[in-house]
């Protein structure tokens, strides 16, 4: 077991009870939880997911990171035409 150490400030976090219901996901769901640092390979994950979406109707949920990181990867997801998935 390798515990992850958050780089985010401590604060209240609302628990997510049901990602599928909340996001309207019906099929397979892939989930990444992390801090979105460059070494985590999120660019490769998004590029790979864009290729996989051509063959499999799945959804990817990524949670974590700073506001700047989140925006960066939202922009990349839009450019890859996977933002809705």
């Amino acid at each position: 077991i390798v515990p992850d150490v958050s780089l985010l400030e401590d604060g209240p976090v609302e628990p997510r009870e049901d990602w599928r219901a909340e996001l309207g996901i019906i099929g397979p769901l892939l989930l990444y939880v992390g801090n979105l640092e460059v070494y985590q390979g999120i660019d490769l994950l998004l590029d790979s997911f864009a290729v996989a979406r051509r063959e499999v109707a799945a959804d990817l949920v990524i949670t974590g990171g700073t506001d700047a990181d989140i925006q960066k990867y939202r922009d990349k997801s839009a450019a890859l035409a996977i933002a809705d998935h």
Side-chain angles (χ1 to χ4, degrees):
I1 297 173
V2 179
D4 188 20
V5 178
S6 176
L7 300 176
L8 302 177
E9 295 178 23
D10 291 334
V13 176
E14 291 294 321
R16 299 286 176 104
E17 296 295 326
D18 187 350
W19 286 99
R20 290 179 184 285
E22 184 176 333
L23 300 173
I25 295 171
I26 297 169
L29 169 63
L30 307 169
L31 178 63
Y32 169 88
V33 178
N35 57 24
L36 304 185
E37 291 294 320
V38 174
Y39 67 86
Q40 301 260 323
I42 305 305
D43 288 297
L44 180 59
L45 173 63
L46 293 175
D47 290 338
S48 300
F49 183 70
V51 172
R53 276 287 306 166
R54 296 180 198 142
E55 301 293 326
V56 178
D59 288 287
L60 171 64
V61 173
I62 299 175
T63 183
T66 64
D67 290 342
D69 291 329
I70 292 167
Q71 188 58 54
K72 172 180 146 183
Y73 291 119
R74 279 185 176 156
D75 293 345
K76 181 171 178 100
S77 295
L80 292 169
I82 57 171
D84 292 339
H85 303 286

